[in-house]
Amino acid sequence: MAAPVILFDFDGTIADTLTCLWQIGQHLALEAGYPSLPPLEKLRDMHSQEILEVLGIPVVQLPWVVRRLRRELSRRMGEVRLCGGMDRALASLYGQGWTLGIVTSNSSCNVRAFLRQHQMEDWFAVVHSESALLGKSRILRRLVRQHQWGDVVYVGDETRDVVAAKSAGLPVIAVAWGFNTVAALQAACPQAVALDAEQLLGILNCWWSPQNP
């Protein structure tokens, strides 16, 4: 029986980039003449579309915003830490034989540099970087089809992660330590919400244990 696949979001799920991204976004907003960003805690209750509406960013400007965010973040990746407990959780999952992957709109260079820094680059069979402007669900469906994966679960920290995974037909676990609040995540109806990395590991091992299928 083939090991199941866990696809992780990166920012806010594995890497604690949220404060850094907020600071970069604040700088870019002022530079481009957009309103200042609301406080991070207020943003956590908002969906992506609501944030764009608050800032007044036209959709046509999004590719520019994403490129600048990536470029500025690459200069600060050395400051970014692992989300609490994820080193132990990922080490346990890898050691048990799960196939791990990352699907992110962050650049693959940023992600791989971070993984190397934390000595976990070899743990991930796939690091897929692609803008999700046209929909993350399409990306997830295409990856599952291309790799001919069987059992796949997605783990992310945003309501849009939940919506995308469900649209792609994948079970999804939302994590409470990332961008959106628990209330916002629960409203999107994931299969489960993990409050910390230990609970995430427990949920995954309850669903399927590679050593005891």
Side-chain angles (χ1 to χ4, degrees), residues 93-178:
L93 292 168
Y94 176 72
Q96 290 178 53
W98 293 81
T99 297
L100 308 182
I102 292 173
V103 181
T104 179
S105 58
N106 204 327
S107 75
S108 58
C109 290
N110 286 348
V111 174
R112 291 190 183 280
F114 180 86
L115 296 177
R116 281 194 300 273
Q117 178 184 348
H118 294 279
Q119 292 85 49
M120 55 178 61
E121 188 176 21
D122 292 341
W123 297 359
F124 291 88
V126 174
V127 174
H128 183 85
S129 170
E130 185 174 344
S131 172
L133 294 180
L134 296 178
K136 203 168 194 176
S137 61
R138 296 182 186 181
I139 298 171
L140 292 173
R141 281 194 295 267
R142 187 173 73 248
L143 284 174
V144 171
R145 184 173 61 252
Q146 286 177 347
H147 291 275
Q148 299 183 329
W149 287 322
D151 295 319
V152 183
V153 60
Y154 191 73
V155 179
D157 67 306
E158 297 185 54
T159 56
R160 62 175 183 163
D161 293 326
V162 177
V163 171
K166 290 170 67 176
S167 178
L170 304 180
V172 55
I173 302 173
V175 300
W177 56 82

Side-chain angles (χ1 to χ4, degrees), residues 12-189:
T13 301
I14 293 176
D16 187 8
T17 56
L18 296 184
T19 299
C20 191
L21 284 169
W22 184 89
Q23 293 170 347
I24 294 169
Q26 180 76 306
H27 172 75
L28 294 181
L30 295 175
E31 179 183 294
Y34 293 118
S36 296
L37 294 180
L40 183 55
E41 284 306 306
K42 184 174 181 179
L43 286 174
R44 294 186 73 223
D45 277 319
M46 295 184 181
H47 300 296
S48 302
Q49 189 59 42
E50 291 177 301
I51 295 172
L52 294 177
E53 290 172 1
V54 167
L55 297 180
I57 299 176
V59 174
V60 294
Q61 290 291 321
L62 283 180
W64 175 85
V65 172
V66 171
R67 285 194 301 271
R68 285 295 305 276
L69 282 171
R70 280 182 171 186
R71 188 161 65 244
E72 295 301 324
L73 183 59
S74 68
R75 298 172 182 169
R76 300 182 58 174
M77 284 305 294
E79 306 171 21
V80 176
R81 301 185 178 213
L82 274 161
C83 293
M86 283 301 286
D87 51 347
R88 295 184 297 277
L90 291 170
S92 178
L93 292 168
Y94 176 72
Q96 290 178 53
W98 293 81
T99 297
L100 308 182
I102 292 173
V103 181
T104 179
S105 58
N106 204 327
S107 75
S108 58
C109 290
N110 286 348
V111 174
R112 291 190 183 280
F114 180 86
L115 296 177
R116 281 194 300 273
Q117 178 184 348
H118 294 279
Q119 292 85 49
M120 55 178 61
E121 188 176 21
D122 292 341
W123 297 359
F124 291 88
V126 174
V127 174
H128 183 85
S129 170
E130 185 174 344
S131 172
L133 294 180
L134 296 178
K136 203 168 194 176
S137 61
R138 296 182 186 181
I139 298 171
L140 292 173
R141 281 194 295 267
R142 187 173 73 248
L143 284 174
V144 171
R145 184 173 61 252
Q146 286 177 347
H147 291 275
Q148 299 183 329
W149 287 322
D151 295 319
V152 183
V153 60
Y154 191 73
V155 179
D157 67 306
E158 297 185 54
T159 56
R160 62 175 183 163
D161 293 326
V162 177
V163 171
K166 290 170 67 176
S167 178
L170 304 180
V172 55
I173 302 173
V175 300
W177 56 82
F179 182 73
N180 282 126
T181 61
V182 171
L185 293 168
Q186 288 175 332
C189 299

